[in-house]
Amino acid sequence: MNGPNDIEWRISSEKVDYPEALAEMEQRNAAVHAGDANELIWLLEHPPLYTAGTSSDPAELLSQAFPVYDTGRGGRHTYHGPGQRVGYIILDLKKRNADVRAFVHALEYWVIAALAEFGVAARAVEGRVGIWCDTPDGQEAKIGAIGIRIRKWVTMHGFSVNVDPDLGHFSGIIPCGISEYPVTSLAQLGIAIELQEFDEALQKTVGGFLKAIDHD
């Protein structure tokens, strides 16, 4: 399905292995740069796995319970698995606003806007990677992760949001190198939705994201 500005929306119904997703992203990145393919917003799930970003510290990998994949995105260790919506964003910033910081902030606030559709008051925190909210007991917790790579001004990777994953799987890493705060999910917050409902919220709020990264 194509959306604003002929961006292809792809929603994978089957879980996608990480190496397959990475290869697809790299191929699409090159094709978008060459002008041979439309930009892409790809929503998917992975089987349980850990990824290591370019700033990863091996000491923050506490378990080998799941496969660990090196990736070219920024950031540290992240968990992906069933019940988590992953969004890979392949956009040509040369056609938009070629500002990396603005792109990251716009991505954060898109996820925040989608979460707000379910009554979650999420936020970005200066100096702390990710998307944050308060749990019912008042504790600050991470509900989403952001990690990107930009090659020749075409973006790769993107975000992940915990809809209803097994939060115990995060115990195998120090997520994004931050040990003093827990992770949470929409389900843990008492919000029971399907991934499709979160996809619909992303589609409803994408206009603000695209406007934020377009030329003034």
Side-chain angles (χ1 to χ4, degrees):
M1 179 176 66
N2 287 358
N5 303 324
D6 292 323
I7 298 171
E8 177 189 349
W9 281 79
R10 181 188 305 172
I11 301 176
S12 294
S13 58
E14 302 293 329
K15 294 175 183 62
V16 181
D17 287 334
Y18 192 79
E20 176 186 342
L22 185 60
E24 171 68 16
M25 273 194 289
E26 290 176 341
Q27 291 169 5
R28 187 60 167 255
N29 176 284
V32 168
H33 173 70
D36 295 333
N38 285 343
E39 297 168 304
L40 174 67
I41 294 174
W42 184 13
L43 306 179
L44 67 150
E45 277 181 292
H46 287 303
L49 59 92
Y50 299 125
T51 64
T54 54
S55 302
S56 294
D57 181 345
E60 294 169 355
L61 179 65
L62 309 178
S63 169
Q64 298 285 342
F66 304 121
V68 181
Y69 297 103
D70 288 325
T71 174
R73 64 158 174 79
R76 294 162 91 160
H77 285 98
T78 300
Y79 166 76
H80 294 310
Q84 182 189 71
R85 176 50 86 213
V86 174
Y88 290 141
I89 315 300
I90 303 176
L91 299 178
D92 187 352
L93 295 187
K94 293 195 308 300
K95 300 190 330 191
R96 303 173 184 278
N97 183 8
D99 183 327
V100 175
R101 180 179 288 271
F103 174 75
V104 172
H105 286 324
L107 195 58
E108 289 173 339
Y109 285 104
W110 179 25
V111 173
I112 289 167
L115 288 166
E117 293 291 310
F118 305 99
V120 177
R123 57 191 174 271
V125 178
E126 188 68 29
R128 201 194 308 156
V129 178
I131 306 300
W132 302 82
C133 66
D134 294 324
T135 62
D137 63 3
Q139 187 171 22
E140 196 170 20
K142 186 172 185 176
I143 195 167
I146 302 286
I148 69 161
R149 181 181 183 186
I150 296 177
R151 179 190 291 167
K152 296 181 179 178
W153 289 107
V154 179
T155 66
M156 296 171 62
H157 303 280
F159 64 82
S160 61
V161 175
N162 300 328
V163 177
D164 188 16
D166 184 338
L167 294 178
H169 289 174
F170 285 89
S171 64
I173 57 172
I174 298 177
C176 298
I178 301 171
S179 59
E180 58 267 42
Y181 299 97
V183 292
T184 191
S185 65
L186 286 168
Q188 190 181 60
L189 298 177
I191 302 167
I193 65 168
E194 300 294 328
L195 290 179
Q196 178 185 349
E197 294 173 80
F198 192 72
D199 297 344
E200 291 167 355
L202 287 168
Q203 291 170 321
K204 180 178 178 181
T205 55
V206 71
F209 165 64
L210 295 174
K211 183 178 180 180
I213 63 172
D214 278 342
H215 294 293
D216 294 332

